Amino acid sequence: MAGGQSLVYRGQREALNELNVEEAAEKSKAETPLTDRLRGSLRCSGPRLKNCVLGFFPVLSWLPRYSFRDCALGDLISGLSVGIMHLPQGMAYALLAAVPPVFGLYSSFYPVLVYFLLGTSRHISVGSYAVMSVMIGGVTERLAPDSNFPLWSNETNGSVMVDVLSRDAERVRIAAAVTFLSGLFQILLGLVQFGFVATYLSEPLVRGYTTAVAIHVIVSQLKYTLGISPKRHSGPLSLVWTVVEVCYLLPETNIGTLVVSAVSIMTLIAMKQINTLFPKLPVRIPAELLAVIIATVATWQLSLDSKYNVEVVGKIPSGLQPPDLPAVSLFRLVVGDAFALSVVGYSIAISMGQIFAVKYGYQVDSNQELLALGFSNLVGGMFHCFAVSCSMSRSLVQESTGGKTQLAGAVSALVILVILLKAGELFQQLPKAMLAAVIFVNLHGMLRQFTDIPTLWRTNRVDMLVWVVTLISTILLNADLGLAAAVAFCLLTVIFRTQLPQYSILGQVQGTDIYKPVEEYKQVRQVPGVVIFRSSATLYFANTAMYAEALAEKSGIVVSKILSLKKKDEEAKLKRAKEAAGNGLELKGQSESEDKSQVIEEDGPPDSTLPHTIILDLSPVNFLDTAGVKCLTTIQKDYGKVGVEVLLSGCQNCVIESLERCGFFGEKVTKEQLFPSVHDAVLHRQLTVTSATRERSQTETQ
Amino acid sequence: MAGGQSLVYRGQREALNELNVEEAAEKSKAETPLTDRLRGSLRCSGPRLKNCVLGFFPVLSWLPRYSFRDCALGDLISGLSVGIMHLPQGMAYALLAAVPPVFGLYSSFYPVLVYFLLGTSRHISVGSYAVMSVMIGGVTERLAPDSNFPLWSNETNGSVMVDVLSRDAERVRIAAAVTFLSGLFQILLGLVQFGFVATYLSEPLVRGYTTAVAIHVIVSQLKYTLGISPKRHSGPLSLVWTVVEVCYLLPETNIGTLVVSAVSIMTLIAMKQINTLFPKLPVRIPAELLAVIIATVATWQLSLDSKYNVEVVGKIPSGLQPPDLPAVSLFRLVVGDAFALSVVGYSIAISMGQIFAVKYGYQVDSNQELLALGFSNLVGGMFHCFAVSCSMSRSLVQESTGGKTQLAGAVSALVILVILLKAGELFQQLPKAMLAAVIFVNLHGMLRQFTDIPTLWRTNRVDMLVWVVTLISTILLNADLGLAAAVAFCLLTVIFRTQLPQYSILGQVQGTDIYKPVEEYKQVRQVPGVVIFRSSATLYFANTAMYAEALAEKSGIVVSKILSLKKKDEEAKLKRAKEAAGNGLELKGQSESEDKSQVIEEDGPPDSTLPHTIILDLSPVNFLDTAGVKCLTTIQKDYGKVGVEVLLSGCQNCVIESLERCGFFGEKVTKEQLFPSVHDAVLHRQLTVTSATRERSQTETQ
């Protein structure tokens, strides 16, 4: 029945303009004033306060309803598995951050506990993360380079003995300060509900960025893998200089370290392959833990450190350190890095969190996630941690081993606590090359992202450009400046895309009210006397000039030319009149005027070859700024001068409002020149023209 | 007849999807390959070469056709008037550029001649311009501050005698270098057809910027008006420090200079008022020239310089100086300023040029204008000029006094040449305060731009924000950095505007095929069972997350919730089945499941309160990136899971292409789910639903 009805009302109706529609549909004018809306959002009440507290401490709402029977076992197993992964990853990522390994374990403990209390995602594993760690490493090495801590230096061969203890203490201080500050940024962003900043990090940008950071990570770990000590470089192009330096030092490779690296990497890959090939194994092999234990035992038994000079982790202090206020004096130096860390850390965590939320059907609150991560880092910063985010590998393990709530994270933190209190010293003989191997193997996923390039080439070249530019800028300018450059470029692509629109003349698909570009379809017919013009993009300051040019080009009506011809024509006529009066003999002007008089007849009916109407289809316009309105006004006036009427169609309400506020409508131009669809405008124009000709023919016959 | 026909074909037609339309309208697939297009644009031929030469030297095409009878007199009068204005303006603007006055005269000569040969605008008066001069002044004072040229210093009271000669020589060298470089930039931009960079300078931005520069100019001239010598400040916030310094030095004001200033300003304003009030005077009073002459004579007769210590222009060398290659070594230091100069100079000239072109019906070629200005500056830079643009006041005089071609500019250059060769020394006694007065009076138009703020507040608040931010950033950060910050902000507003779109549910205007937001119209009716959703903005990476959220919120269909309820429901049923089998007595699960079972029935028909269709109106979408396509794919899949069909409507062809390339269409989703208009989608859906219910009822009755 509904279908039948709709076919009926399609039948006959008048061509409507916006004014008709507004009257028929009774447009409501009253809007809620801004003050009322503000007041509404600031109102305070009992239930509201309760919601607020529950919102800030999600643990208060989910823990009381925790179902032991359903979740406890899964959370326990998952927590243990993730805790075991935290150990080697934490230590390895501490190397990236250029701080002693034990601080990686701290970072796997305090922030995880805070996130357990405040986080809304049930499956992500917060803690140390390669990308964040290498960004921290960039800061610590920039502000506390080896050269600042000479213990003893030999000026003849330029070798320097570094005071490692005070250097590391300073680096920990810097890492804690930048972590604290990034937490502060995240909290501030969360409080002003700026969760949306992460939306500027589009997927191609994030993938290009993480790939570039993976390359930074690999280059920074080469020294541990090869057992060499290249100079530290910082600032733009430091990656290139480091690679050059490493190549230069290749002959000095420590064979013992290289062997350990090769064996570690191969063992890890083999064990991970087994996990992948046999997904139905009763337990997942804890590849990294096994490798770490084997490497430690082997180094200890074979005395690799003393015999072959293989660098090991060294003393791991037992127990925890008391909290400390961060070094506020450093904030000034690290503000940029801290901001980059806060945005990157958040965007990685939220994207991972949203994937799981969709999969398991729950909600993650983007602003609460910002607060949760912010407090994790803030507290972490006070306990000598470095900035955390969510690790993809650990999160996948947490989910696949049956983790169902944030409790799994708390369990993993307890595992790390036990290791910190009791088992830390067992890993003193762990070779750093082994940790580098852990990092390499964990990065293979990021390097696989290079296959994005051919995929994006096929699907969307602009996105591919963003990917590649992000990669290159991050490689050349490092993680902080590179990210800023990439975001700027990414935003510019949006501008470019709206700056190079497709302009097209629309024609009618025969027998329908559908209008399609005449260039792209063969069987569309231009309505006689009507030019229908559409730009594929919003009309705003960056493309108004092009819009007017394209309209003139596509419609073939160049107002200035017509006007100047008209003017010359008038002058010529005047001259002829004068000549006739003075009986002059100059014929040049006349012959000139005859050439052009065919274009337009002064005061006569408009040239029949000229269209009588231009319809601008504005349906793709998202907003109008003053430049856009001015452009439309100019078009209306200019074409009006040569007798062409300009109608607008398909304006959204916000566009109509902008037109109204900018004074587009006046005596000459009213809302009657505005139509809800192209077809309405065409119908209106055809009807008026037909009736005009009918009237004219009637008066003529009379 | 046409109208009648159109009313008929409106009558009955099937609901069409994009596939039908493509077939009916015979979409053409073949596109010109990029290589062919490139080849086409690079082809070389005789006529093409001729056009190229004529295009580069427009003078070759218009001078041979020059009509002496029509234009000569107007061009001569106009050229003389403008030349007379060049004299005081050139000298005054030289003060802004912090170089001796004679170099302002050079700048009114060489570049004007070059523009005569290469320019395409017939009415703009190229030459010294306040905004450009103050930007140059910023560079010269930064790179050659007074403190670099001590001749003699008194350490007890801290006063320093400056070696003015060598300081000025250095400043001229710097000004010439930055001018040369900005010319080079303009030529490069012109060669790569980058005339469009000026489009980033939207009108509110340019007006806010020129207002801020006017304030910079006024502050920099206060010292001449008051006869004091504040310290020079450079870098961000220098304006603020200068104002503070001037206030501090107010008691040291030179009364003689102040009197000269006051009298000059009042005389100038009075004469300009006469010009404005009596526009029909036979000749326009050359206010500035008269004032300059009177001031010079008065100073000379009253010996103001020696008696009252009024600072005068001083020696003006006669004749011209030989050209010189610019100091390439300085380029590195001024590259940013040169780029800002090239963009600002061009954008002011082109906007002025286009105003006249539209008024008089001719074309200005934006890329040729870039080349013309570029060569003007390049040649100017070799002849010790500072960067030029188009002065609004002179251009208006050039037009109003009857100038018809570029020849007027050439005449004005000859006037300056005569002054340079013969009459320069007459102006040695001209007080600098008089020149400052010329500047002030010429700036009143720019200060009047402050009225933009209330106008823009009423018409477009985002544009007002751009205006104000540009003003503040330019005042605080100076002309170069401030411009960069303003452009960045202006581009960000575009992003913001598309990031905060209006999301609306559309309903049908009764009895028509027009769909309008239900929130804004009272008499629109939501089609039963169909949710029609539209975002006012393009769907791209920065707003995909919001799009999905808004759809869920507005449609009331939260897929994740429905799915989780469904899941619990299933589990509860399973439990009940088990309990029934094991005769268990636990009733908790059952009561829980009963609460939720009303929402969705497992395996039964979809909940009747749920709509069966979502139609996404994508007509405002300008382009789709991979994030946009992914968002649509996710929506399609997610809502499909709960039995809601998602249809797309109103896609532009470029959007359809993006969907195709990103693999949006597959087995389940075809182009049959794409409709040219919302109404087609509604019709299609209503027909299929009606026929389905009819079939069902038929089978039931059977």
Side-chain angles (χ1 to χ4, degrees):
Chain A
M1 190 214 79
Q5 188 194 22
S6 63
L7 272 176
V8 170
Y9 61 62
R10 184 166 208 108
Q12 237 83 26
R13 72 163 174 87
E14 300 273 312
L16 297 177
N17 58 39
E18 282 292 339
L19 211 61
N20 306 140
V21 174
E22 278 186 15
E23 279 163 14
E26 292 182 18
K27 193 178 181 201
S28 40
K29 295 273 174 192
E31 261 183 47
T32 326
L34 190 67
T35 45
D36 280 15
R37 270 184 285 166
L38 266 180
R39 207 174 297 144
S41 68
L42 292 176
R43 207 184 303 133
C44 191
S45 65
R48 203 163 179 144
L49 191 71
K50 190 186 154 202
N51 272 339
C52 206
V53 171
L54 283 184
F56 183 66
F57 289 105
V59 67
L60 294 181
S61 47
W62 65 261
L63 200 55
R65 289 192 282 135
Y66 187 78
S67 158
F68 264 86
R69 215 185 37 182
D70 288 349
C71 310
L73 188 69
D75 281 346
L76 186 70
I77 294 176
S78 154
L80 289 176
S81 316
V82 172
I84 286 168
M85 282 181 85
H86 263 306
L87 171 71
Q89 285 193 357
M91 291 203 287
Y93 295 158
L95 286 192
L96 286 180
V99 294
V102 70
F103 293 97
L105 297 184
Y106 294 158
S107 305
S108 306
F109 173 62
Y110 297 105
V112 179
L113 274 187
V114 176
Y115 187 84
F116 159 70
L117 298 174
L118 302 180
T120 60
S121 170
R122 302 181 196 159
H123 294 87
I124 66 172
S125 166
V126 163
S128 56
Y129 180 50
V131 173
M132 308 288 284
S133 307
V134 81
M135 286 169 81
I136 298 263
V139 188
T140 51
E141 294 188 356
R142 190 183 74 225
L143 295 182
D146 282 352
S147 55
N148 280 10
F149 301 93
L151 193 63
W152 164 94
S153 68
N154 184 339
E155 293 206 356
T156 49
N157 64 1
S159 69
V160 178
M161 185 76 168
V162 176
D163 178 0
V164 176
L165 273 185
S166 52
R167 181 199 69 185
D168 284 350
E170 179 65 17
R171 287 186 175 171
V172 168
R173 220 166 68 94
I174 294 166
V178 72
T179 301
F180 186 90
L181 194 58
S182 78
L184 216 56
F185 276 128
Q186 285 172 333
I187 293 168
L188 287 178
L189 290 176
L191 287 180
V192 295
Q193 313 269 310
F194 257 41
F196 77 87
V197 289
T199 58
Y200 288 142
L201 307 182
S202 69
E203 202 190 338
L205 187 141
V206 168
R207 291 176 72 92
Y209 183 69
T210 45
T211 310
V213 171
I215 292 170
H216 271 284
V217 170
I218 288 171
V219 169
S220 75
Q221 295 303 298
L222 282 179
K223 61 180 176 194
Y224 296 116
T225 306
L226 301 173
I228 53 180
S229 336
K231 269 183 240 142
R232 309 269 173 140
H233 298 272
S234 63
L237 294 180
S238 63
L239 183 99
V240 179
W241 296 124
T242 309
V243 170
V244 170
E245 181 96 13
V246 166
C247 292
Y248 185 75
L249 290 175
L250 268 187
E252 296 175 24
T253 301
N254 179 321
I255 302 299
T257 309
L258 189 62
V259 170
V260 171
S261 300
V263 173
S264 312
I265 291 176
M266 282 188 288
T267 319
L268 273 174
I269 291 179
M271 284 196 283
K272 293 227 165 190
Q273 276 298 324
I274 293 173
N275 272 334
T276 322
L277 290 177
F278 306 103
K280 300 208 168 166
L281 280 184
V283 260
R284 213 181 139 277
I285 304 178
E288 286 156 345
L289 186 73
L290 275 184
V292 163
I293 292 173
I294 295 169
T296 311
V297 172
T299 314
W300 172 47
Q301 286 296 322
L302 304 174
S303 304
L304 291 178
D305 54 333
S306 45
K307 277 192 199 155
Y308 300 96
N309 217 6
V310 170
E311 208 179 347
V312 295
V313 163
K315 189 161 165 27
I316 295 179
S318 273
L320 300 170
Q321 294 192 5
D324 224 346
L325 275 182
V328 181
S329 58
L330 289 170
F331 284 1
R332 201 173 45 80
L333 301 171
V334 299
V335 61
D337 308 273
F339 190 77
L341 276 170
S342 65
V343 174
V344 171
Y346 167 65
S347 65
I348 288 167
I350 192 75
S351 58
M352 205 71 194
Q354 264 158 355
I355 290 171
F356 288 123
V358 168
K359 190 166 175 187
Y360 289 94
Y362 60 89
Q363 299 275 313
V364 291
D365 177 340
S366 58
N367 287 312
Q368 177 61 23
E369 281 300 286
L370 256 177
L371 289 177
L373 278 175
F375 277 100
S376 298
N377 282 326
L378 198 78
V379 172
M382 291 195 273
F383 284 95
H384 318 284
C385 302
F386 48 82
V388 298
S389 175
C390 138
S391 150
M392 291 185 207
S393 54
R394 285 200 314 270
S395 301
L396 289 174
V397 169
Q398 177 162 342
E399 181 225 355
S400 60
T401 50
K404 285 198 170 64
T405 70
Q406 290 93 321
L407 213 61
V411 173
S412 76
L414 288 182
V415 173
I416 292 296
L417 183 64
V418 169
I419 293 168
L420 270 172
L421 292 179
K422 298 287 167 200
E425 59 196 36
L426 294 181
F427 295 104
Q428 291 187 5
Q429 294 291 312
L430 176 62
K432 285 187 175 177
M434 177 66 230
L435 290 180
V438 169
I439 294 172
F440 288 152
V441 175
N442 273 317
L443 287 179
H444 75 288
M446 286 191 195
L447 292 184
R448 219 188 284 148
Q449 291 179 151
F450 269 109
T451 55
D452 286 3
I453 298 183
T455 312
L456 287 174
W457 172 258
R458 278 194 309 276
T459 56
N460 197 315
R461 308 227 171 130
V462 181
D463 281 354
M464 190 204 72
L465 204 64
V466 169
W467 199 103
V468 172
V469 168
T470 306
L471 180 87
I472 293 172
S473 73
T474 310
I475 284 182
L476 296 183
L477 302 174
N478 297 353
D480 47 352
L481 268 186
L483 181 65
V487 169
F489 179 78
C490 190
L491 294 182
L492 269 183
T493 60
V494 179
I495 308 282
F496 287 146
R497 275 169 144 152
T498 54
Q499 259 208 308
L500 301 169
Q502 284 175 348
Y503 295 107
S504 36
I505 296 289
L506 304 186
Q508 194 172 33
V509 178
Q510 296 257 329
T512 70
D513 54 0
I514 300 165
Y515 292 79
K516 289 281 180 184
V518 288
E519 283 173 7
E520 295 180 50
Y521 294 87
K522 282 177 204 145
Q523 289 296 327
V524 299
R525 186 182 67 102
Q526 264 187 272
V527 183
V530 178
V531 172
I532 307 165
F533 180 74
R534 183 172 71 190
S535 154
S536 68
T538 295
L539 180 66
Y540 72 112
F541 68 86
N543 59 18
T544 45
M546 272 184 287
Y547 188 84
E549 270 174 35
L551 175 59
E553 192 197 316
K554 293 263 177 187
S555 71
I557 316 176
V558 185
V559 175
S560 56
K561 254 188 201 162
I562 295 176
L563 281 183
S564 73
L565 289 180
K566 202 175 171 181
K567 213 171 170 185
K568 276 190 192 163
D569 205 49
E570 276 172 28
E571 281 168 14
K573 273 196 179 166
L574 210 71
K575 210 185 282 173
R576 257 183 293 172
K578 269 188 200 167
E579 283 166 6
N583 207 7
L585 280 162
E586 284 179 59
L587 283 164
K588 188 172 150 267
Q590 197 171 358
S591 66
E592 233 184 46
S593 76
E594 272 172 358
D595 288 349
K596 282 133 192 175
S597 59
Q598 67 194 59
V599 176
I600 200 148
E601 276 290 316
E602 186 213 7
D603 290 334
D607 179 15
S608 57
T609 60
L610 268 185
H612 50 71
T613 309
I614 289 177
I615 298 172
L616 303 178
D617 179 10
L618 298 183
S619 55
V621 172
N622 296 345
F623 61 86
L624 268 185
D625 58 1
T626 46
V629 176
K630 217 163 266 185
C631 173
L632 292 177
T633 311
T634 314
I635 287 173
Q636 187 106 31
K637 272 192 196 152
D638 284 355
Y639 285 89
K641 280 183 202 159
V642 294
V644 179
E645 193 179 8
V646 178
L647 306 176
L648 310 183
S649 81
C651 298
Q652 299 194 59
N653 282 352
C654 55
V655 173
I656 299 180
E657 273 164 33
S658 292
L659 286 173
E660 277 175 345
R661 275 207 307 274
C662 288
F664 178 76
F665 300 112
E667 273 180 38
K668 283 194 178 175
V669 190
T670 64
K671 270 199 184 171
E672 285 171 24
Q673 265 119 315
L674 228 63
F675 293 87
S677 74
V678 171
H679 193 61
D680 281 296
V682 170
L683 280 185
H684 158 84
R685 195 52 192 160
Q686 282 180 333
L687 287 174
T688 47
V689 169
T690 330
S691 60
T693 37
R694 203 173 295 146
E695 272 170 36
R696 200 182 299 156
S697 60
Q698 276 174 357
T699 47
E700 274 169 19
T701 50
Q702 281 168 359
Chain B
M1 189 214 79
Q5 188 195 21
S6 64
L7 272 176
V8 169
Y9 61 62
R10 184 164 210 111
Q12 236 83 29
R13 72 164 174 84
E14 299 274 313
L16 296 178
N17 59 38
E18 281 292 341
L19 211 61
N20 306 140
V21 174
E22 278 188 15
E23 278 164 14
E26 292 181 18
K27 191 175 182 204
S28 41
K29 295 273 174 192
E31 260 183 51
T32 327
L34 190 67
T35 46
D36 280 16
R37 272 184 284 166
L38 266 181
R39 208 175 296 144
S41 67
L42 292 176
R43 208 184 302 133
C44 191
S45 65
R48 203 163 179 142
L49 190 70
K50 192 186 153 202
N51 273 339
C52 204
V53 171
L54 283 183
F56 184 65
F57 289 105
V59 69
L60 295 181
S61 46
W62 64 262
L63 200 55
R65 289 191 282 134
Y66 187 78
S67 157
F68 262 88
R69 219 183 38 181
D70 288 349
C71 309
L73 188 69
D75 281 347
L76 185 70
I77 295 178
S78 154
L80 289 175
S81 315
V82 172
I84 286 169
M85 284 180 84
H86 263 307
L87 171 71
Q89 284 193 359
M91 291 202 287
Y93 294 159
L95 286 192
L96 287 182
V99 295
V102 71
F103 293 96
L105 298 183
Y106 294 158
S107 305
S108 305
F109 174 61
Y110 296 104
V112 179
L113 276 186
V114 175
Y115 186 83
F116 159 70
L117 297 174
L118 302 180
T120 60
S121 169
R122 302 181 196 158
H123 294 88
I124 67 171
S125 167
V126 164
S128 56
Y129 181 51
V131 174
M132 307 289 283
S133 308
V134 82
M135 286 169 81
I136 297 263
V139 188
T140 51
E141 294 188 355
R142 191 184 73 224
L143 295 182
D146 281 351
S147 55
N148 281 10
F149 301 92
L151 193 62
W152 164 92
S153 69
N154 184 340
E155 293 208 356
T156 50
N157 64 1
S159 69
V160 178
M161 186 78 167
V162 176
D163 179 0
V164 176
L165 275 185
S166 51
R167 180 200 69 185
D168 284 350
E170 179 63 16
R171 286 186 177 173
V172 168
R173 220 168 65 94
I174 293 166
V178 72
T179 301
F180 186 90
L181 193 58
S182 78
L184 216 57
F185 275 129
Q186 286 172 331
I187 293 169
L188 286 178
L189 290 176
L191 287 179
V192 294
Q193 312 269 308
F194 257 41
F196 77 86
V197 288
T199 58
Y200 288 142
L201 307 183
S202 70
E203 202 191 338
L205 188 142
V206 169
R207 291 176 73 93
Y209 183 69
T210 47
T211 310
V213 172
I215 292 170
H216 272 283
V217 169
I218 289 171
V219 170
S220 74
Q221 295 302 298
L222 282 179
K223 60 180 175 195
Y224 295 115
T225 306
L226 302 172
I228 54 179
S229 336
K231 270 184 239 139
R232 310 267 172 141
H233 298 272
S234 63
L237 293 181
S238 63
L239 183 97
V240 178
W241 296 123
T242 309
V243 170
V244 170
E245 182 98 12
V246 167
C247 292
Y248 186 75
L249 291 175
L250 268 186
E252 294 176 24
T253 302
N254 179 321
I255 302 300
T257 310
L258 188 62
V259 169
V260 171
S261 300
V263 172
S264 312
I265 292 176
M266 283 188 287
T267 320
L268 273 173
I269 290 178
M271 284 197 282
K272 293 229 163 188
Q273 275 299 321
I274 294 174
N275 272 334
T276 323
L277 290 177
F278 306 103
K280 299 209 168 164
L281 281 184
V283 261
R284 215 182 136 278
I285 304 178
E288 286 156 346
L289 186 73
L290 276 183
V292 162
I293 292 173
I294 295 170
T296 312
V297 172
T299 314
W300 173 47
Q301 286 295 324
L302 305 174
S303 304
L304 291 178
D305 55 332
S306 46
K307 278 195 198 151
Y308 300 95
N309 218 5
V310 171
E311 209 180 345
V312 296
V313 163
K315 190 161 164 31
I316 295 179
S318 273
L320 300 170
Q321 295 191 7
D324 224 347
L325 274 181
V328 181
S329 57
L330 288 172
F331 284 1
R332 200 174 45 81
L333 300 171
V334 299
V335 62
D337 308 274
F339 189 78
L341 277 170
S342 64
V343 174
V344 171
Y346 167 67
S347 66
I348 288 167
I350 192 77
S351 59
M352 204 71 195
Q354 263 158 356
I355 291 170
F356 288 122
V358 167
K359 189 166 175 188
Y360 289 93
Y362 60 87
Q363 300 274 315
V364 290
D365 177 340
S366 58
N367 287 311
Q368 176 62 22
E369 282 300 284
L370 255 177
L371 289 177
L373 278 175
F375 277 100
S376 299
N377 282 327
L378 197 78
V379 172
M382 292 196 272
F383 284 95
H384 319 285
C385 301
F386 49 83
V388 298
S389 175
C390 138
S391 149
M392 291 183 205
S393 55
R394 285 200 314 272
S395 301
L396 288 174
V397 168
Q398 177 163 342
E399 180 226 354
S400 60
T401 51
K404 286 199 170 62
T405 69
Q406 290 93 321
L407 212 62
V411 172
S412 76
L414 290 181
V415 173
I416 292 297
L417 182 64
V418 170
I419 293 169
L420 271 172
L421 293 179
K422 298 287 167 200
E425 59 195 34
L426 295 179
F427 295 104
Q428 293 188 4
Q429 293 291 312
L430 175 63
K432 285 188 174 175
M434 176 68 230
L435 289 179
V438 169
I439 293 173
F440 288 153
V441 176
N442 273 317
L443 286 180
H444 75 288
M446 285 191 197
L447 291 183
R448 220 189 284 148
Q449 290 179 151
F450 269 110
T451 56
D452 286 4
I453 298 182
T455 313
L456 287 175
W457 171 259
R458 279 195 308 276
T459 55
N460 197 314
R461 307 225 172 133
V462 182
D463 281 355
M464 191 203 70
L465 204 64
V466 170
W467 199 102
V468 173
V469 168
T470 307
L471 181 87
I472 294 172
S473 73
T474 310
I475 284 183
L476 296 183
L477 302 175
N478 297 353
D480 46 351
L481 268 186
L483 181 65
V487 170
F489 179 78
C490 190
L491 294 183
L492 268 183
T493 60
V494 179
I495 307 282
F496 287 147
R497 274 168 145 153
T498 55
Q499 257 208 310
L500 301 169
Q502 284 174 348
Y503 295 107
S504 36
I505 296 288
L506 304 186
Q508 194 171 32
V509 179
Q510 297 258 331
T512 69
D513 53 359
I514 300 166
Y515 292 79
K516 290 281 181 184
V518 288
E519 283 172 9
E520 294 179 50
Y521 294 87
K522 282 178 204 144
Q523 289 297 326
V524 299
R525 187 181 67 103
Q526 264 187 270
V527 183
V530 178
V531 172
I532 308 165
F533 181 75
R534 183 170 72 189
S535 155
S536 67
T538 295
L539 181 66
Y540 71 112
F541 68 86
N543 59 18
T544 44
M546 272 183 288
Y547 188 84
E549 269 173 37
L551 175 60
E553 193 197 316
K554 293 262 178 187
S555 70
I557 316 175
V558 184
V559 175
S560 56
K561 253 187 202 162
I562 296 175
L563 281 183
S564 72
L565 289 181
K566 203 174 170 180
K567 211 170 169 185
K568 278 191 190 161
D569 205 49
E570 276 171 29
E571 281 168 13
K573 273 198 178 165
L574 211 69
K575 209 185 280 173
R576 256 183 294 172
K578 270 189 198 166
E579 285 167 5
N583 207 6
L585 280 162
E586 282 180 61
L587 282 164
K588 189 173 150 266
Q590 197 170 357
S591 68
E592 233 182 46
S593 76
E594 271 171 356
D595 288 347
K596 281 133 192 176
S597 58
Q598 67 194 61
V599 176
I600 201 147
E601 276 289 315
E602 186 213 9
D603 290 334
D607 181 14
S608 56
T609 61
L610 268 187
H612 51 73
T613 310
I614 290 178
I615 298 172
L616 303 177
D617 180 9
L618 298 183
S619 55
V621 172
N622 297 344
F623 62 86
L624 268 185
D625 58 0
T626 45
V629 177
K630 215 163 266 184
C631 174
L632 292 177
T633 311
T634 313
I635 288 174
Q636 187 106 33
K637 271 192 198 150
D638 284 355
Y639 285 89
K641 280 183 204 158
V642 293
V644 178
E645 193 180 7
V646 178
L647 307 176
L648 310 183
S649 81
C651 297
Q652 299 193 60
N653 282 351
C654 56
V655 173
I656 299 180
E657 273 164 32
S658 291
L659 286 173
E660 277 175 344
R661 274 208 308 275
C662 287
F664 177 76
F665 300 112
E667 271 180 39
K668 283 194 176 175
V669 189
T670 64
K671 271 199 184 171
E672 284 172 26
Q673 263 118 317
L674 229 63
F675 293 88
S677 74
V678 171
H679 194 58
D680 281 296
V682 171
L683 280 186
H684 157 82
R685 196 50 194 161
Q686 283 179 334
L687 287 174
T688 47
V689 169
T690 330
S691 59
T693 35
R694 201 174 297 149
E695 272 171 35
R696 200 181 298 155
S697 60
Q698 276 173 357
T699 48
E700 275 170 17
T701 50
Q702 280 169 359

